[in-house]
C-alpha cells in the first residue's frame, strides 16, 4: 500500500490519475485528506464507488500511530508516535493558558546528530530523518487526537507549528520543506507561514534557502555570546561560528522589524547568565531585527547543568528589555511529563541491537565521507 500523506499535490494528482480520477478532480481527494481528515476512502462520498475501492486497494492514509499519550497538569499533551519501522518520536501540544489556542511542537528527526550539552534529545542515539509524510503525519495525528477536523478554523486549538521537538530541521531540509509546503497549502491544512517557526541550532548555509523557499519564521538557538563557550555547548558552532551565523541571520529573507528573528537563549546557572553576557548579547544582536526568548533550562536525569535562579533570569531579561529588546521568559510547560524544551527523548533505543549497530555504522561511514567529527551533523543525511 502506498501512503498518500506526504505526497505533493502534483504527486497525488499523478497517483489519482493512475487510479482513474481525472487530474482536474484531484483537488477533491486532497480536500478529503487535508481538510476533512478522512482516514477511510469509503467515506469520500464525492468520489465514485469504483474509484474509492480502487484507491483503497492500492493506497493508505495512515498516519504515525499514537503509542502513548500523556497530559500535563497545565494542559500540555505529549504523544509518543510510532512510525512504520517502529522508530519513535515525541510530539507536544502546548495550549495557551487563556483562549485555548496553542502550538504543536514537531519533530524533524528521530533523535539528533548534534550533541548540544544541555539537550536531552542530544543524548539519544541518532536513528534517522523523518520523511515528509511522517512530518505531515504528526499534524494529522494531532488533529485526530484533538478532534480538530470537525471544528471550524476559528475554533481550532492547533494553529501554530514549531519545529522545536526532536532533531535539527535544517539537517533534513528537503523533507521538512516538502512537508511545510503541504501544511501551508491554502486548500488543505492551511497553516500559514506566519504561524510556522523553524528552530535551528545554526546551520548557517541553509538559512537563506529556507527563507527564500519557505519564508517561515526563524528561531535560532544562540545560547552563548562567544565562540569559546558556544563551541562547547552547541558543538555545531565549531563548523558555523557565531559571526557566520549572525551574518546569515542578518540577511535572512523576510526578516524585518515586523518579522523578527527569535534568538533562543537557555539560562544555565553560572555558565551564560551574567550581566556581562547580557551586555554582550545586547551589542551583538543590534544589527539584526531580533527578539530574545529566554528559556529556563529544563533539567533531565544526569544533566550537567542547573537552571539559573529566577531572580537572575529576571535581571537578565530586564537588561535586554531596557535595551529595547522584546525578551519574554518562556514559561516552562509540561515539565511534569518531560515534555518541556529539550526534554524529549524517544525510545529509539528500543530498536533491536542489530538495527542500531547498522545505523551507527552508516552514520560513521557518512561522517567519515564528509570529513565531520562524530559529534557534528550531516546535511541531508538519509539513513
Ligand atoms: N534542533 C533545533 C530544534 C529543537 S530544540 C534547535 O536546536 O534549535 C528546541 C529548543 O530547545 C532549542 O532552542 C534548544 O536549544 C532548546 N533546548 C534544548 N534542550 C533544552 C533544555 N534542556 N532546556 C531548555 N531548552 C532546551
Ligand atoms: Fe539537536 Fe537541537 Fe537538541 Fe542541539 S538542541 S541536540 S540541535 S535537538
Amino acid at each position: 500500500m502506498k501512503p498518500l500523506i506526504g505526497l505533493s499535490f502534483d504527486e497525488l494528482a499523478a497517483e489519482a490519475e493512475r487510479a482513474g480520477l481525472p487530474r482536474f478532480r484531484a483537488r477533491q481527494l486532497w480536500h478529503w485528506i487535508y481538510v476533512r481528515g478522512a482516514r477511510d476512502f469509503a467515506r469520500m462520498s464525492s468520489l465514485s464507488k469504483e474509484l474509492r475501492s480502487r484507491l483503497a486497494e492500492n493506497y493508505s492514509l495512515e498516519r504515525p500511530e499514537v503509542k502513548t499519550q500523556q497530559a500535563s497538569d497545565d494542559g500540555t499533551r505529549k504523544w509518543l508516535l510510532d512510525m512504520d519501522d517502529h522508530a519513535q518520536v515525541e510530539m507536544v501540544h502546548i495550549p495557551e493558558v487563556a483562549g485555548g489556542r496553542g502550538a504543536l511542537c514537531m519533530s524533524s528527526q528521530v533523535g539528533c546528530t548534534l550533541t548540544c550539552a544541555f539537550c536531552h534529545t542530544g543524548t539519544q542515539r541518532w536513528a534517522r530523518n523523518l520523511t515528509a509524510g511522517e512530518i505531515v503525519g504528526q499534524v494529522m495525528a494531532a488533529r485526530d487526537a484533538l478532534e480538530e477536523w470537525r471544528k471550524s478554523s476559528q475554533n481550532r486549538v492547533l494553529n501554530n507549528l514549531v519545529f522545536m521537538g526532536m532533531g535539527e530541521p535544517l539537517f533534513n531540509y528537503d523533507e521538512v520543506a516538502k512537508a511545510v509546503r503541504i501544511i501551508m497549502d491554502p486548500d488543505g491544512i492551511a497553516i500559514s507561514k506566519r504561524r510556522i517557526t523553524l528552530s535551528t541550532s545554526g546551520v548557517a548555509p541553509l538559512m537563506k534557502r529556507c527563507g527564500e523557499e519557505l519564508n517561515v519564521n526563524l528561531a535560532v538557538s544562540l545560547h552563548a555570546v562567544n565562540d569559546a563557550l558556544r563551541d562547547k555547548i552547541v558543538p555545531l558552532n565549531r563548523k558555523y561560528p557565531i559571526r557566520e551565523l549572525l551574518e546569515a541571520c542578518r540577511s535572512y529573507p523576510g526578516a524585518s522589524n515586523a518579522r523578527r528573528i527569535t534568538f533562543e537563549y537557555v539560562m544555565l546557572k553560572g555558565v551564560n547568565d551574567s550581566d556581562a553576557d547580557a551586555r554582550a548579547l545586547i551589542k551583538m544582536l543590534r544589527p539584526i531585527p531580533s527578539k530574545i526568548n529566554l528559556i529556563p533550562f529544563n533539567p533531565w536525569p544526569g544533566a550537567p547543568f542547573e537552571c539559573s535562579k529566577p531572580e537572575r533570569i529576571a535581571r537578565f531579561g530586564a537588561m535586554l528589555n531596557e535595551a529595547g529588546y522584546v525578551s519574554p521568559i518562556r514559561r516552562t510547560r509540561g515539565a511534569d511529563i518531560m515534555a518541556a524544551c529539550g526534554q524529549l527523548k524517544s525510545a529509539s533505543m528500543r530498536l533491536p541491537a542489530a538495527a542500531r549497530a547498522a545505523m551507527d555504522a552508516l552514520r560513521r561511514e557518512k561522517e567519515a565521507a564528509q570529513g565531520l567529527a562524530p559529534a557534528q551533523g550531516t546535511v541531508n543525511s538519509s539513513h
Side-chain angles (χ1 to χ4, degrees), residues 189-324:
I189 296 174
I191 298 181
S192 92
K193 63 183 184 182
R194 302 203 169 262
R195 296 190 169 278
I196 301 177
T197 301
L198 187 148
S199 173
T200 177
S201 58
V203 189
L206 278 178
M207 283 163 47
K208 181 161 183 259
R209 187 164 163 214
C210 172
E212 280 171 356
E213 294 181 356
L214 306 175
N215 205 224
V216 290
N217 302 316
L218 187 70
V220 173
S221 298
L222 187 60
H223 306 318
V225 291
N226 59 66
D227 285 327
L229 176 62
R230 197 162 187 273
D231 277 353
K232 279 197 208 124
I233 62 176
V234 183
L236 187 65
N237 196 68
R238 294 177 213 152
K239 195 148 197 243
Y240 308 118
I242 292 179
R243 179 197 284 264
E244 193 177 334
L245 174 60
L246 293 184
E247 182 47 39
C249 293
R250 211 185 49 75
S251 53
Y252 184 70
S256 68
N257 279 334
R259 209 156 174 240
R260 293 163 198 267
I261 293 182
T262 301
F263 287 91
E264 294 161 288
Y265 196 93
V266 62
M267 298 299 293
L268 304 172
K269 187 177 173 185
V271 175
N272 64 355
D273 62 351
S274 69
D275 285 0
D277 289 316
R279 279 192 292 272
L281 191 58
I282 288 166
K283 194 163 163 226
M284 182 171 169
L285 296 183
R286 278 271 177 254
I288 304 169
S290 37
K291 72 174 187 200
I292 305 162
N293 217 327
L294 298 181
I295 317 176
F297 169 66
N298 293 308
W300 36 272
F305 299 104
E306 281 178 67
C307 183
S308 312
K309 290 243 152 41
E311 312 80 75
R312 180 87 298 262
I313 302 179
R315 157 96 184 144
F316 198 96
M319 286 177 71
L320 303 179
N321 256 306
E322 277 158 30

Side-chain angles (χ1 to χ4, degrees), residues 118-129:
F118 45 80
C119 177
H120 203 204
T121 307
T123 66
Q124 173 173 352
R125 200 177 288 271
W126 158 246
R128 66 172 174 84
N129 281 328

Side-chain angles (χ1 to χ4, degrees), residues 37-178:
R39 307 190 68 162
D40 187 354
F41 293 104
R43 293 182 177 224
M44 300 184 172
S45 51
S46 61
L47 306 180
S48 76
K49 270 212 161 117
E50 200 196 339
L51 175 67
R52 280 183 259 167
S53 59
R54 230 172 305 136
L55 287 170
E57 275 162 30
N58 298 299
Y59 300 103
S60 86
L61 295 168
E62 291 285 301
R63 20 300 226 148
E65 187 192 341
V66 174
K67 272 284 172 199
T68 60
Q69 189 192 158
Q70 286 171 277
S72 157
D73 296 341
D74 66 17
T76 301
R77 289 217 247 176
K78 180 167 90 167
W79 296 276
L80 178 66
L81 301 177
D82 207 11
M83 307 295 157
D84 257 5
D85 61 354
H86 300 301
Q88 297 184 328
V89 296
E90 292 187 317
M91 172 177 87
V92 180
H93 182 254
I94 309 158
E96 277 174 21
V97 175
R101 304 191 141 219
L104 185 71
C105 181
M106 316 233 300
S107 295
S108 55
Q109 299 182 308
V110 184
C112 187
T113 53
L114 298 169
T115 51
C116 301
F118 45 80
C119 177
H120 203 204
T121 307
T123 66
Q124 173 173 352
R125 200 177 288 271
W126 158 246
R128 66 172 174 84
N129 281 328
L130 290 178
T131 64
E134 291 165 336
I135 297 168
V136 177
Q138 291 175 63
V139 184
M140 309 292 280
R143 277 208 171 155
D144 293 343
L146 297 165
E147 297 183 358
E148 292 267 270
W149 297 109
R150 273 182 251 149
K151 297 180 198 160
S152 65
S153 53
Q154 299 93 298
N155 292 327
R156 284 183 175 148
V157 296
L158 195 177
N159 25 42
N160 285 287
L161 299 183
V162 294
F163 282 92
M164 292 186 186
M166 292 164 55
E168 167 49 58
L170 293 186
F171 275 175
N172 185 17
Y173 181 79
D174 290 343
E175 296 298 306
V176 168
K178 188 174 183 195

